[in-house]
Amino acid sequence: MLKFIPYVLKSLWRHRARTLLTVSGTAVALLVFCFIGAVQQGLLALTSGDDAGRTLIVFQENRFCPQSSRLPQDYAGDIAKLSGVQDVVPVKVFTNNCRASLDAIVFQGMPPEKLKAWRDLDLQSGSWSAFSSQDDAAFVGVDVATRRGLGVGDKFTIGDVSVVVQGVFHSATAADNNLIFTQLEFLQRARGANDVGTVTMLEVHLNDTADPEALAKQIDQAFHAGPVGTTTRTKGMFQADTLADLAELIGFVHWLGYACVGLVLSLVATTTVMAVQDRIKEHAVLQTLGLRPLRVFGLVLTESLLLSTLGGVLGVAGSVLLLSLSGMSIAAEGVTIAFEPSVNLAIQGVAVAVVVGILAGLAPGWQASRTEIVSALRHA
């Protein structure tokens, strides 16, 4: 079959306008398919990551937006004394938009030593010493830095918060690349109100023997009669609850991905049928020269496979390039979903294109192979 590849390529080139339209349509559909897959992958990473079940988030009871949660920072000391607790990190969160947004800016303030211990930050530029020694210093995630054009030494203002960039970092956790980290006390004082002594949430890291559910109930019971009630959940459950409405929308968009696959199938199949109709007489001549019907079937199937695979590869490559360069994300109530490309997603996209190419060529290939030679030769 390999010796017939030049023939197949010449057949495609003969109708280059139709070929180009089919390949470009397939590429766009696969780009959308991979884009949707990246969003779903980002959501899954938030709710089922390594620390999603071993870290507890303590939030103020009946509060949702970070600005509305005000926990006493002293709660951290009480929680740290509980059996099974490895460490407690007080976190102050500020965001310029609590609603779903593609360009939300999320600040997280925490003590520098806690930040260094519990966030996997690989500094691309800047230093920890500069961050620790300057009150309004900030570490900016690489995706935020790319979107906003920020570098070390730049001053960045959003709302009432102004910071000086003292480092740009990359994190293995994709969502963290869309955050800006500051010192806790700075963010407590930044908006003009003296919030020293209060935090948005407490991040409770557990040891290997702790029972997350039992400890969450114990924490809530301990502060039930206190000045501020709490709601404690695992990090994965907290993020899933926070993004519940957005997750439903993403789940609906999932069907759009299937629609894109159907579009590719329809597009490639239609083009292949048209090609077969145009070459009825040609296929009859090939069979007259000795080509068996199975070989004619293979030629049509190869043509369909090449169209779909070429469009799929271009679409996957375009989606990976777009997602890598743009650093896109969506945030809601201070929780960020990163649109992250991956090797698995790229392989899945190409595999879909290959399978669709084979399926789209079955019916036209069967039609071409079953053509009656005499009637086909009479075809004008």
Side-chain angles (χ1 to χ4, degrees), residues 182-363:
T182 69
Q183 295 194 41
L184 176 60
E185 289 194 8
F186 165 77
L187 205 56
Q188 288 172 327
R189 300 177 185 272
R191 305 185 65 203
N194 188 356
D195 285 339
V196 174
T198 65
V199 294
T200 302
M201 62 187 185
L202 297 170
E203 195 174 276
V204 184
H205 296 271
L206 310 180
N207 57 36
D208 295 335
T209 60
D211 182 352
E213 292 185 9
L215 201 52
K217 292 180 181 178
Q218 187 177 353
I219 292 171
D220 290 341
Q221 289 173 358
F223 300 117
H224 179 68
V228 179
T230 62
T231 297
T232 305
R233 293 156 288 181
T234 61
K235 189 174 183 179
M237 186 178 296
F238 167 78
Q239 294 181 358
D241 290 345
T242 301
L243 298 170
D245 293 339
L246 202 55
E248 287 185 10
L249 179 60
I250 292 173
F252 174 77
V253 172
H254 178 71
W255 294 103
L256 181 59
Y258 289 125
C260 289
V261 175
L263 175 63
V264 174
L265 179 61
S266 174
L267 187 63
V268 176
T270 301
T271 300
T272 309
V273 167
M274 293 173 64
V276 168
Q277 293 295 328
D278 288 344
R279 300 206 303 273
I280 291 177
K281 190 172 183 179
E282 184 177 320
H283 289 150
V285 171
L286 290 175
Q287 291 188 59
T288 302
L289 295 175
L291 252 68
R292 295 183 178 275
L294 185 61
R295 182 58 59 86
V296 175
F297 175 84
L299 289 175
V300 175
L301 195 64
T302 301
E303 184 174 330
S304 171
L305 182 60
L306 282 175
L307 280 173
S308 182
T309 303
L310 179 58
V313 169
L314 290 175
V316 170
S319 68
V320 170
L321 186 64
L322 176 65
L323 292 170
S324 299
L325 295 179
S326 65
M328 294 181 67
S329 65
I330 185 169
E333 298 181 14
V335 178
T336 303
I337 301 175
F339 301 174
E340 183 185 21
S342 68
V343 175
N344 288 337
L345 188 61
I347 292 174
Q348 184 181 1
V350 174
V352 165
V354 170
V355 171
V356 167
I358 293 173
L359 293 176
L362 292 177

